[in-house]
Amino acid sequence: MPEWLEAGLWGLLAGAALLIGAVAGYFARVPRRVIASVMAFGAGVLLSAVSFELIAEAHEQAGLAPVAIGAAAGALAYTGANILLARRGARHRKRSGDEQPSEQEQPGSGNAIAVGALLDGVPESVVIGASLLAGGAVSLVTVIAVFLSNVPEGLSSAAGMRQAGRTRRYVFLLWATIALVSGASALAGYTLLGGAPPGVLATITAVAAGAILAMITDTMVPEAFEDAHLLVGLITVLGFLTAFALSHT
């Protein structure tokens, strides 16, 4: 199989977890504490993948300065975009309760939520494609981490969308589109970065890592803490250790 096609398929697989979670969140009345616990676990998995699969490897390739600058730039870019989207109704796009505004309460919030979902998913998918360039094989730990974190993201967000009165067609079309965009982003990460010097590849990986870290703390951790409360730390550590174990097997 051509590597460019493999990159796209791995990205599509990771993105499909969003749709799986959305179906569960829309049709099943999953208790909010369960959603929060799964979200905490997914956050821990992503934190581990960012630490050991992205930041650590980028540091080995390029050193501290490019990694620090890249991660800070990624976090800054994500935060700036997230602030703009929050003002348009996407602040609570991953919340499973009644925090999300309806279209009647805030016109245009549906589009803001859709763009926010893209903002959350693209950096993860780009690094999946780029991981093929680094070692000739996709980072399975990164794919698994993104998949495991995407399930609760889709689950929580779809439950909140249902509460806000958004239609089944809107919810499933949104997450199906995000899954396809995830595949396209992984493909872009492979094709656009092919031939890039190791230092450039490492810096771009760090940019994506910084954006992912900002996303975890801005959108995943608040949902997890809202209902898991005192258990959120323990569950997050379990997710972290699970991904750490996968990266060392």
Side-chain angles (χ1 to χ4, degrees):
M1 181 186 299
E3 285 191 346
W4 62 268
L5 179 58
E6 183 181 353
L9 290 176
W10 282 118
L12 181 61
L13 173 64
L18 291 165
L19 186 57
I20 294 171
V23 171
Y26 195 90
F27 287 114
R29 297 302 190 265
V30 182
R32 291 191 63 180
R33 179 157 294 188
V34 173
I35 295 176
S37 299
V38 177
M39 184 71 80
F41 186 86
V45 168
L46 263 189
L47 284 170
S48 181
V50 169
S51 300
F52 299 107
E53 295 294 315
L54 302 182
I55 293 293
E57 291 187 8
H59 180 264
E60 289 180 5
Q61 290 180 317
L64 179 59
V67 171
I69 294 171
L76 181 63
Y78 178 90
T79 301
N82 199 40
I83 290 172
L84 293 175
L85 290 170
R87 292 173 178 172
R88 288 163 173 77
R91 177 184 299 275
H92 301 298
R93 59 185 176 275
K94 285 196 174 79
R95 305 300 295 272
S96 58
D98 57 2
E99 296 88 353
Q100 289 189 29
S102 66
E103 200 65 28
Q104 290 73 30
E105 293 170 332
Q106 188 165 358
S109 58
N111 291 333
I113 289 172
V115 175
L118 283 172
L119 177 68
D120 297 337
V122 167
E124 301 169 344
S125 302
V126 168
V127 295
I128 289 175
S131 69
L132 272 167
L133 298 171
V138 73
S139 171
L140 286 177
V141 175
T142 302
V143 173
I144 293 171
V146 173
F147 186 95
L148 290 177
S149 65
N150 278 348
V151 171
E153 287 184 45
L155 192 155
S156 179
S157 185
M161 291 175 184
R162 184 192 65 224
Q163 292 270 29
R166 291 192 162 84
T167 66
R168 183 185 309 174
R169 178 180 179 182
Y170 170 87
V171 173
F172 296 144
L173 183 60
L174 169 63
W175 292 115
T177 301
I178 301 301
L180 292 174
V181 171
S182 296
S185 298
L187 176 60
Y190 177 83
T191 56
L192 297 179
L193 298 177
V200 173
L201 184 59
T203 302
I204 293 175
T205 299
V207 169
I212 294 170
L213 283 173
M215 181 273 293
I216 293 170
T217 53
D218 282 353
T219 64
M220 296 183 72
V221 171
E223 168 64 17
F225 181 77
E226 179 70 21
D227 288 290
H229 291 299
L230 297 179
L231 293 178
V232 66
L234 174 62
I235 298 170
T236 301
V237 170
L238 290 175
F240 184 94
L241 292 175
T242 298
F244 179 79
L246 287 173
S247 67
H248 289 77
T249 56

